[in-house]
Amino acid sequence: VSQSRYEEHRFQVETKIRRLLENEEVVHHIDGNKENNDIDNLMLFENDKEHMSFHNKIKRFGMTNPIKRQIANRWEDEKRVF
């Protein structure tokens, strides 16, 4: 992973939520394409454990309605503090 690609997706989320990300926060690429740093393709997780839990739910159950809702509603509370 190149440094510029890493910074770009984190920068996109920081701009969206209007604050700097904490080091432990993880930005997820919804479509799995790490080159696609469009904000519509990004999702923020509090930490790696939360991020991996999300991946494990998709592996285990598929793209269920609760997961689709989580993706759709990911920016509802832009001021959330972890």
Side-chain angles (χ1 to χ4, degrees), residues 15 20 27 37 40-41 43-45 54 57 59 61 66 81:
T15 301
L20 295 176
V27 177
N37 292 310
D40 292 333
N41 186 48
M43 188 168 180
L44 180 62
F45 289 95
F54 180 79
K57 285 179 195 173
K59 278 185 194 176
F61 303 110
V81 176

Side-chain angles (χ1 to χ4, degrees), residues 10-20 39 78:
R10 292 183 68 86
F11 175 77
Q12 293 292 343
V13 172
E14 288 174 339
T15 301
K16 175 73 176 175
I17 64 174
R18 299 183 191 137
R19 69 170 175 82
L20 295 176
I39 195 64
E78 295 174 18

Side-chain angles (χ1 to χ4, degrees), residues 1 4 14 17 19 24-25 31 35 39 50 60 66-67 72 74:
V1 175
S4 63
E14 288 174 339
I17 64 174
R19 69 170 175 82
E24 63 273 5
E25 291 178 309
D31 70 0
E35 299 287 331
I39 195 64
E50 185 183 87
R60 185 167 181 197
I67 291 170
R74 68 194 179 279

Side-chain angles (χ1 to χ4, degrees), residues 65-79:
N65 285 333
I67 291 170
K68 290 177 184 176
R69 277 193 299 277
Q70 184 179 356
I71 292 169
N73 298 329
R74 68 194 179 279
W75 303 121
E76 275 190 4
D77 186 9
E78 295 174 18
K79 295 178 183 172

